[in-house]
Amino acid sequence: MNRSPTVLDTPPSDTLSTWLARLRAARHRGTLVFAGEADGCRQAAAQTVRDARLARVSWISGVVHPGIQAGAPAGMEVLAARQARGLLGQERDLIVFDAHAGFDADAFGAVSGSIVGGGLLVLLCPPLEAWPQCADPAAEAIAVWPHTIHDLPGRFLQRLSRLLGQAIAVGGQTVLVSADGQRDAAVQAMLDSAPPPPALSLDNKPPAAPPEAGMRSADQQAAVAAIEHVLQGHRRRPLVLVADRGRGKTAALGIAAARLMRGAVQGPAAAGPHPMACFRVVVTAPRLAAVAPLFQHAQGLLPGVIAHAGHLQWGAAELRFVAPDELCAALPAADLLLVDEAAAIPASLLQTLLRHYSRLVFSTTTHGYEGTGRGFAVRFRQTLEAQAPGWSELILREPIRWAGDDPLEQWVFDSLLLDASCAEDGRVSAAAPGNVQVERLARDRLAADEPLLKQLFGLLVVAHYRTRPNDLRNLLDGPGLAVYAMRYQGAVVATALVAMEGGFDRPLIEAMAAGRRRPRGHLIPQSLVTHLGLRAAGGQRCARVMRIAVHPAVQGRGLGRGLLRHIRAEATAQGADLIGASFGATAPLLRFWRAEDLWPVRLGFRRDHASGEHSVMVLSALSAAGASVLAAARGCLRADLPQTVANALSDLDPAVVALLLQDRPGESDHEDPVPSARDHDNVRAFVEGERSYEDCLASLWRYTLWALRAPTTSLTDPQLTILVCRLLQHHSWAQLAHATGLAGKAELKGVLQSALRQLLSSTIKEDKL
């Protein structure tokens, strides 16, 4: 019978010390795995912490256990997995990750990058062969109703165990203490032989410190110079810094900011552009904690600086943090804007910053915990090319915290697919709707086929900024999830994840309508029942397209629409009543879904944290019962929209408002007031300058609301913005002038008159009055 490891099963302290010395010499990070019963693993890990005698230690666990800190170094922090993101940008010598309390993949990805070269990751888990069958508390988030963590198949943990076992078998820097206390024989022999620490190779030697204090690599020095050039060079030429974790990019932002602040105050001799009366550097990131190293490095280079949380004042120069949403709302003056972890900030907010600020730096993590620099680069590149064609990119490749061949970094990349890539462009360049195949993948096969899994997940990563490690777990284990792949000569060119939702019984539906129950994971039926009061939707089955992605090299060829039609046909054959999706509302996405007959039925009143947009839910009917629910939901939206866009949704993109107002074919019985002959006359009189805006306001509102129902209306962007924002969303003239850049009320009214003149022309031609 297996027994749990005891303190005696851990490496003897002299062997552990020797191993750590070898790790330090190579600037590698070691992994020590205690696999067995939970309490025994925790006791063994606590002993290892004491024996290692390392200063910066964190213990990560889903629950905090009494006695963990007994005898451990003073100041060792114990963090819940949800607090792991607080370690982003920080450094640790040793981290204990207690997977007995749940293997949170996001947390593991976050903390692993904090361990420095010569440090140690201590992983606690059940025996590797039994781990996939264990009910993992961290999987609760993907256990959609009525499933529990006990129902999940464990493919994610099975793959993780396999990769961990391979790392242990290779030996070197991953050591297993198994349930019976026996280490892998090859690794044990390596530890026992304990040769003297090897001489440092050129690749692993810490780089000589450049003259300027604080810089630790040639890449970091180049990054600082490039950041300084953004301020000193031509306007409208933003810089994009891209790096994996541990390359010092956030520190480079802080060093550059301090050098520029010194130059602004003291003059060119201090490596700055020229003396300025007031010099302002603004930094933004998903959270203040994410840029703590930036402020630490800047503060270290500014003697006598006045420091507060998120703010440094040095003479007439200042560095301050502003949250992304607050920054986009206020748009404060800044001589330089630094955007760290840009891939984790909604694209719409980044676009606002790019339009407003002329000197800015975007920094993002290539294989990140909160977002991917590859997805950022692919999707944001088009925006950069359009708005700032002189932009430049700098990639930091040289690690600072560990050696370039660090085994832990590669194992984390492999296990969480942080470096997964879609197929090379050349392999898929000839893909077209007529030469591709669509299949629904068996997830047992997907979990076992590493190349296919990497291609498919890599495509999801490129297509979505915010693909996280826990998304991989849902892909492999999420109940009721179907995975579709469109392939060209074996290469994945498009993929979609589809969840089957709904099918509730009457008591549950009534509890949902009363706000007493919220079944996990059934987004569309729950929203229709809870927010719109459509009880019939709860009993129906809805196929929700959670993700759909097309390879960037073959977008625009109809592959996504072909995949969606295949999914629709399968859902119909399986007896689904509805097919739908929920996503951040943008005009291009609404047009895509509407072209496939999926129409808006509900909008969220708050902006989504990931997309930065208001979420919109779209539906299409697959049965007669589904058609009834769709008609009712559409009726609710069309009846409520005029009031919501004037109040809770007054910040909605005008182009989105116009698309939401447009009728679905056959929807002619809308409840909006039809403009009268007097309304028509008032609109004409305002357009011709015969009557004032104020005299005609009510008529202009009714007429605009009615005219925009027609899908054939074509207005310029300024016309549509002023028409929707002023008449439907009730923005002030001052707000409109700020948003459009027009001179004032008279010029704005002129554009409004031109928009209404065009609407009059089109509606008269159609004989709508």
Side-chain angles (χ1 to χ4, degrees):
M1 178 179 294
N2 288 343
R3 60 185 179 86
S4 64
T6 67
V7 172
L8 295 177
D9 292 329
T10 64
S13 58
D14 59 334
T15 303
L16 179 62
S17 299
T18 302
W19 186 35
L20 290 174
R22 297 180 65 195
L23 292 173
R24 284 193 296 272
R27 295 182 61 230
H28 285 165
R29 293 154 330 145
T31 304
L32 180 60
V33 182
F34 289 106
E37 187 270 332
D39 287 343
C41 286
R42 290 165 185 151
Q43 293 172 18
Q47 181 65 55
T48 299
V49 170
R50 291 189 286 272
D51 290 343
R53 297 184 179 89
L54 296 173
R56 298 170 296 181
V57 180
S58 294
W59 188 299
I60 312 298
S61 178
V63 291
V64 177
H65 300 275
I68 283 179
Q69 290 183 290
M76 184 185 81
E77 62 182 351
V78 180
L79 300 174
R82 66 179 180 276
Q83 299 171 302
R85 66 174 60 184
L87 294 183
L88 290 171
Q90 299 189 40
E91 295 186 347
R92 293 293 182 270
D93 300 301
L94 188 152
I95 285 181
V96 178
F97 194 92
D98 184 3
H100 284 286
F103 187 87
D104 185 316
D106 285 355
F108 187 77
V111 304
S112 62
S114 300
I115 306 171
V116 299
L120 193 62
L121 168 68
V122 179
L123 175 63
L124 316 183
C125 64
L128 296 188
E129 69 278 5
W131 196 5
Q133 288 74 50
C134 295
D136 188 348
E140 183 70 28
I142 68 168
V144 302
W145 184 92
H147 300 279
T148 70
I149 58 174
H150 301 281
D151 303 321
L152 302 185
R155 300 184 190 96
F156 175 81
L157 291 178
Q158 185 176 37
R159 176 180 174 274
L160 188 70
S161 299
R162 182 179 74 245
L163 294 177
L164 186 58
Q166 291 171 359
I168 293 166
V170 169
Q173 314 303 1
T174 305
V175 178
L176 171 69
V177 178
S178 64
D180 60 1
Q182 300 301 311
R183 304 175 188 86
D184 176 88
V187 177
Q188 183 63 55
M190 179 216 46
L191 288 176
D192 290 341
S193 63
L200 292 180
S201 68
L202 291 178
D203 290 339
N204 290 338
K205 183 181 294 181
E212 183 66 43
M215 285 185 274
R216 298 167 60 188
S217 74
D219 277 357
Q220 192 178 64
Q221 189 168 8
V224 170
I227 296 166
E228 292 175 343
H229 184 71
V230 169
L231 186 67
Q232 299 162 357
H234 293 286
R235 293 161 52 88
R236 295 287 171 194
R237 295 189 176 179
L239 170 68
V240 177
L241 292 179
V242 180
D244 279 322
R245 292 183 63 194
R247 270 65 180 176
K249 62 178 177 54
T250 301
L253 296 176
I255 295 168
R259 287 163 58 97
L260 291 169
M261 291 167 70
R262 286 166 47 187
V265 173
Q266 297 176 346
H274 54 270
M276 303 177 69
C278 180
F279 182 70
R280 294 155 297 195
V281 180
V282 172
V283 59
T284 192
R287 295 170 313 284
L288 175 58
V291 289
L294 187 156
F295 282 90
Q296 291 166 1
H297 281 80
Q299 185 173 349
L301 295 174
L302 296 171
V305 68
I306 300 173
H308 301 286
H311 184 262
L312 300 180
Q313 187 75 44
W314 200 68
E318 72 165 355
L319 170 67
R320 69 184 177 106
F321 173 84
V322 182
D325 53 351
E326 179 185 343
L327 181 61
C328 288
L331 296 175
D335 298 289
L336 177 66
L337 174 63
L338 306 176
V339 184
D340 199 15
E341 295 302 341
I345 297 175
S348 60
L349 300 188
L350 297 178
Q351 291 165 5
T352 297
L353 300 177
L354 184 61
R355 286 193 299 267
H356 184 77
Y357 293 98
S358 60
R359 299 187 186 275
L360 72 167
V361 177
F362 296 102
S363 173
T364 192
T365 304
T366 312
H367 309 115
Y369 153 72
E370 291 189 293
T372 166
R374 288 168 297 135
F376 170 85
V378 170
R379 301 183 66 198
F380 199 57
R381 185 180 298 271
Q382 298 174 352
T383 301
L384 287 167
E385 293 289 356
Q387 296 188 28
W391 72 283
S392 61
E393 180 182 70
L394 179 65
I395 301 174
L396 284 72
R397 293 184 171 87
E398 185 178 357
I400 289 174
R401 292 183 193 161
W402 51 77
D405 58 348
D406 178 68
L408 177 59
E409 180 176 55
Q410 191 56 56
W411 184 78
V412 172
F413 280 1
D414 291 342
S415 61
L416 303 183
L417 289 185
L418 293 178
D419 60 349
S421 300
C422 54
E424 295 180 358
D425 292 0
R427 285 191 62 189
V428 301
S429 59
N435 62 17
V436 294
Q437 297 78 42
V438 179
E439 59 180 320
R440 179 174 175 173
L441 298 174
R443 287 190 287 171
D444 285 338
R445 170 195 168 192
L446 186 61
D449 189 335
E450 199 68 14
L452 176 60
L453 180 62
K454 286 183 175 180
Q455 258 193 47
L456 189 143
F457 195 71
L459 184 52
L460 291 174
V461 166
V462 168
H464 298 270
Y465 285 11
R466 302 298 298 276
T467 301
R468 294 182 170 189
N470 275 332
D471 292 323
L472 174 61
R473 181 170 217 160
N474 189 49
L475 172 69
L476 294 176
D477 289 336
L481 189 68
V483 181
Y484 291 87
M486 176 180 279
R487 305 173 80 177
Y488 170 72
Q489 295 184 355
V492 179
V493 295
T495 185
L497 309 183
V498 182
M500 192 63 71
E501 300 181 341
F504 305 129
D505 58 25
R506 177 55 58 180
L508 180 54
I509 293 172
E510 292 301 324
M512 291 164 58
R516 297 192 304 270
R517 294 284 304 276
R518 294 178 65 87
R520 187 197 303 272
H522 295 259
L523 176 64
I524 290 180
Q526 180 173 275
S527 181
L528 296 177
V529 171
T530 303
H531 298 290
L532 301 185
L534 300 179
R535 288 171 169 79
Q540 296 184 6
R541 287 168 52 79
C542 176
R544 176 165 68 96
V545 182
M546 297 175 60
R547 292 279 185 96
I548 185 166
V550 177
H551 195 293
V554 293
Q555 290 176 359
R557 302 183 185 181
L559 297 175
R561 291 179 179 176
L563 178 57
L564 189 56
R565 289 168 188 169
H566 181 95
I567 293 168
R568 184 187 189 109
E570 278 208 2
T572 302
Q574 292 167 6
D577 301 288
L578 296 161
I579 183 171
S582 179
F583 51 88
T586 65
L589 284 176
L590 281 171
R591 293 189 187 101
F592 169 82
W593 290 96
R594 194 175 67 177
E596 293 306 309
D597 196 35
L598 279 88
W599 292 79
V601 294
R602 185 175 182 274
L603 272 88
F605 295 128
R606 296 183 181 87
R607 290 189 179 271
D608 180 75
H609 177 67
S611 71
E613 308 289 352
H614 291 273
S615 294
V616 62
M617 190 174 294
V618 296
L619 278 183
S620 187
L622 303 180
S623 69
S628 177
V629 166
L630 174 62
R634 286 285 297 165
C636 293
L637 177 71
R638 291 155 61 222
D640 296 346
L641 195 60
Q643 286 298 316
T644 54
V645 298
N647 293 281
L649 297 176
S650 62
D651 62 343
L652 195 60
D653 180 358
V656 171
V657 173
L659 287 168
L660 293 172
L661 285 170
Q662 291 179 7
D663 283 331
R664 181 169 172 259
E667 289 179 344
S668 59
D669 58 341
H670 55 75
E671 301 179 13
D672 298 330
V674 176
S676 65
R678 173 177 172 271
D679 289 331
H680 180 72
D681 184 58
N682 278 339
V683 174
R684 182 201 58 77
F686 170 71
V687 167
E688 300 301 329
E690 299 171 359
R691 290 181 201 143
S692 71
Y693 170 82
E694 289 74 17
D695 285 336
C696 303
L697 179 57
S699 294
L700 298 179
W701 178 80
R702 284 189 290 269
Y703 182 81
T704 298
L705 196 60
W706 173 78
L708 288 180
R709 293 290 189 185
T712 56
T713 301
S714 177
L715 298 171
T716 66
D717 288 342
Q719 286 176 330
L720 186 63
T721 296
I722 294 171
L723 186 76
V724 171
C725 288
R726 180 60 186 164
L727 292 176
L728 303 185
Q729 295 180 304
H730 302 169
H731 290 197
S732 69
W733 294 114
Q735 287 176 302
L736 281 176
H738 178 74
T740 61
L742 297 178
K745 187 174 179 180
E747 190 173 358
L748 290 165
K749 280 188 176 180
V751 178
L752 180 60
Q753 287 171 322
S754 70
L756 289 164
R757 183 180 292 111
Q758 186 166 330
L759 287 181
L760 278 173
S761 175
S762 63
T763 54
I764 288 173
K765 287 178 182 178
E766 295 171 17
D767 196 27
K768 293 180 70 174
L769 286 175

